[in-house]
Amino acid sequence: MTKLFLQSCLLSLAVFSTSSMMAQTNSTALNHHLSVAGQMTAEKFALLLKQQGFKSIIVNRPDQELGNVVTVNELRTIAEKSQVSVIYQPITSGKTYPTDIIEFAKYYNELPKPILMICRSGSRSSALFNQAKAQGLLHE
């Protein structure tokens, strides 16, 4: 029980730290294979692809989420011009399920790297990564 509580606290701290860094940068590297980014526009997305050379994108922000200014189809159109694949794995904020973690781990293990994950602030994407890592599901 104590070990599980400690893991939960560490995951929360990692998400908080990542969220704080998101306000200052376009994307934040969680490891050498994966970065996360928050609120996206078409222009910001195109620039990230050009500057940072991502080979795969996982979009965790649902298209219909309040405040979303760009849809996954718009991102996909931009990415396809650079021959970058886009996976749409919408996660409702605060509602990550075990099946979401397993699905993400499958993508992480199989997609070309580096990968960019996108949500509103970077927090839910970071949490998804941290939970999969804590469960030993990622091949690094």
Side-chain angles (χ1 to χ4, degrees):
M1 184 72 145
T2 304
K3 183 178 178 182
L4 190 56
F5 175 75
L6 183 57
Q7 284 180 333
S8 177
C9 290
L10 289 173
L11 287 174
S12 296
L13 180 59
V15 169
F16 176 77
S17 297
T18 300
S19 296
S20 298
M21 289 186 294
M22 293 303 276
Q24 301 169 3
T25 63
N26 286 330
S27 70
T28 299
L30 299 184
N31 67 17
H32 62 283
H33 295 301
L34 184 125
S35 296
V36 295
Q39 181 69 32
M40 198 56 59
T41 64
E43 296 78 19
K44 179 179 173 181
F45 183 68
L47 190 60
L48 277 172
L49 286 179
K50 182 179 179 182
Q51 289 180 341
Q52 298 189 19
F54 294 106
K55 294 183 181 173
S56 303
I57 309 297
I58 300 173
V59 179
N60 296 130
R61 188 171 190 179
D63 278 347
Q64 70 278 10
E65 187 174 82
L66 186 64
N68 195 8
V69 297
V70 63
T71 67
V72 71
N73 284 333
E74 292 170 301
L75 296 176
R76 186 173 280 121
T77 299
I78 296 165
E80 285 175 352
K81 292 176 184 173
S82 299
Q83 299 178 337
V84 174
S85 63
V86 175
I87 301 294
Y88 184 47
Q89 185 191 11
I91 305 290
T92 302
S93 186
K95 295 185 180 177
T96 303
Y97 298 101
T99 54
D100 298 326
I101 298 165
I102 292 167
E103 182 180 6
F104 162 71
K106 179 181 180 238
Y107 294 139
Y108 179 88
N109 292 328
E110 294 176 0
L111 287 171
K113 293 167 183 64
I115 300 169
L116 175 65
M117 293 177 72
I118 300 169
C119 64
R120 180 178 45 227
S121 68
S123 293
R124 85 188 85 169
S125 295
S126 296
L128 196 60
F129 168 79
N130 287 323
Q131 290 170 4
K133 185 176 179 178
Q135 292 178 29
L137 299 174
L138 306 181
H139 304 148
E140 298 188 77

